[in-house]
Amino acid sequence: MTSQSAAGLAGVVVTETQKSKVDGDIGKLQYHGYNILDLAEYAQFEEVVYLLWWNKLPNKAEFEAFEQKLAKLRHIEPEIVQTMKLFPKDTHPMAALRTAVSMLGMWDPNADDNSPEANYEQSCNLLAIMPTVVAAWSRIRKGKEPIAPREDLTLAANFLYMLHGTEPTEAQIDAIDAYLVLLADHGLNASTFSARVTVSTLSDIYSAVVTALGTLKGPAHGGANQKAMEQFMDIGSPDKVDAWFDDLIANKGRIMGIGHRVYKAEDPRATILRDRTRKLAEEGDSKWYDIAWQLEQKARAHEYFLERNLYANVDYYSAIVLYQLGIDVDLFTPLFAMSRVAGWCAHIAEQWEDNRLIRPRADYVGPLDLEWVDLADRD
Ligand SMILES: CC(C)(COP(=O)(O)OP(=O)(O)OC[C@H]1O[C@@H](n2cnc3c(N)ncnc32)[C@H](O)[C@@H]1OP(=O)(O)O)[C@@H](O)C(=O)NCCC(=O)NCCS
């Protein structure tokens, strides 16, 4: 880059937010002042959503009313399910989710109402229905009928129920709920920024979430959890880690799930998930944890990773947690989306509270003042 521009907008502050603070130098993350370590330990995902949307933790009555409101919104329009049955069966779940969310907007008669009241209703709608869409597509593509959502379960428990058709255990619910808490918001990450750009034009919230889903899908962002698991599967067994790592270094490859634009210390979410993965591994098959742990140790001991402050990020160990729970690998990024939609909606509302069109500039570095040449006269 020859101009003064900041490649990838690295370090550029473009707005203020009350939603989350990412302190990359010391590896600390807070949602509206609450440490992620406490939230992962004590909060249920819906409480965290309330915190992000209302800038305060709910009291008991507020929490119960919020939970019930969300639970009632879980059902998808039958027409949307019918349309999903026409998708090619090998459609990636992120593409299916992106398309279904676009359809949700078509079925909402108030989709173009940008008032705070309508925005809140639409946010609830999106948060409640996205798990139903993800679970439905997971079944439809395997030739199975979707399972209707239940209103008596938490969002995490209901998702697992719709996915597998059986009552999840407390340990499974707890693992998914903690995962959802950890991924709910993260400053001005790429997908959140893209959602803010979309609503800054006064477009609608469904369009913004479609934009954000498309952005999250990339392997440099939310797609990394799937790629991280595929890399562990490619390694195959703990005794192959050394050779795989040497090959990666020789070919200047990237370890998926390592490195972060903001964290130059360990991502606190990775610390929590490593611990959970280890505990799950102690109770069952430890192969995937062993591969991930050994690969991480190789990287932490290598000067290339040390010089660049490259640590495991949230996607590295979350891939193993989700795999240990029997979630299909290509559903990992949609699960990320089911959580991050909380942050997207929080930021969309915040953007609209004090909106100005987001429209940066580019330094033009191409040729100037060229003379027109007729088509017939061009080389
Ligand atoms: C997350 C990520 C995109 C951040 O990118 P960024 O801030 O633009 O940083 P860069 O891509 O410029 O990387 C900086 C340096 O570290 C290296 N690097 C970054 N991540 C790396 C990784 N996972 N493995 C090996 N090297 C890596 C780059 O090659 C670059 O080296 P160089 O300075 O010699 O060119 C990047 O770390 C990455 O691709 N990680 C893997 C994908 C991933 O896990 N994404 C999820 C993020 S939550």
Side-chain angles (χ1 to χ4, degrees), residues 90-311:
D90 59 354
T91 299
H92 191 282
M94 273 304 274
L97 178 61
R98 188 191 60 214
T99 303
V101 166
S102 188
M103 285 193 284
L104 289 177
M106 290 151 67
W107 263 269
D108 182 345
N110 299 318
D112 288 317
D113 184 345
N114 295 351
S115 65
E117 298 74 23
N119 185 40
Y120 176 62
E121 295 303 324
Q122 292 152 351
S123 300
C124 291
N125 198 27
L126 281 158
L127 190 103
I129 294 188
M130 279 175 48
T132 314
V133 169
V134 174
W137 178 242
S138 168
R139 296 184 67 86
I140 291 169
R141 67 175 174 162
K142 293 174 184 163
K144 298 180 187 166
E145 271 303 306
I147 293 171
R150 276 175 46 185
E151 294 179 14
D152 60 324
L153 300 174
T154 65
L155 187 144
N158 176 58
F159 172 68
L160 287 171
Y161 166 73
M162 291 187 297
L163 196 63
H164 300 307
T166 50
E167 289 264 348
T169 64
E170 282 306 317
Q172 290 168 332
I173 297 167
D174 180 55
I176 289 287
D177 195 80
Y179 172 79
L180 295 173
V181 167
L182 290 174
L183 274 290
D185 196 44
H186 207 236
L188 211 57
N189 60 90
S191 56
T192 299
F193 181 56
S194 69
R196 277 195 179 243
V197 170
T198 300
V199 294
S200 82
T201 71
L202 304 181
S203 183
D204 66 287
I205 189 169
Y206 295 96
S207 298
V209 172
V210 169
T211 304
L213 284 164
T215 309
L216 186 74
K217 185 169 173 285
H221 189 10
N225 52 13
Q226 175 179 340
K227 296 287 178 205
M229 193 63 223
E230 287 169 352
Q231 130 197 297
F232 300 139
M233 293 164 123
D234 183 43
I235 295 171
S237 65
D239 60 305
K240 300 215 172 99
V241 168
D242 286 5
W244 191 94
F245 182 78
D246 292 346
D247 196 43
L248 178 108
I249 293 293
N251 291 301
K252 298 187 171 22
R254 285 193 180 212
I255 301 181
M256 299 312 288
I258 285 199
H260 199 276
R261 172 61 65 78
V262 185
Y263 288 119
K264 301 305 164 204
E266 179 157 294
D267 179 340
R269 303 165 302 171
T271 316
I272 297 169
L273 287 163
R274 183 193 296 108
D275 199 41
R276 282 185 170 256
T277 316
R278 186 177 37 77
K279 284 186 188 136
L280 282 169
E282 279 165 9
E283 290 160 17
D285 182 7
S286 69
K287 175 172 137 179
W288 301 113
Y289 173 77
D290 291 343
I291 292 173
W293 168 253
Q294 285 186 30
L295 180 61
E296 187 189 17
Q297 296 319 300
K298 292 288 290 183
R300 292 305 310 140
H302 197 284
E303 62 181 16
Y304 179 90
F305 289 83
L306 292 173
E307 281 165 4
R308 291 167 179 76
N309 291 321
L310 298 169
Y311 294 83

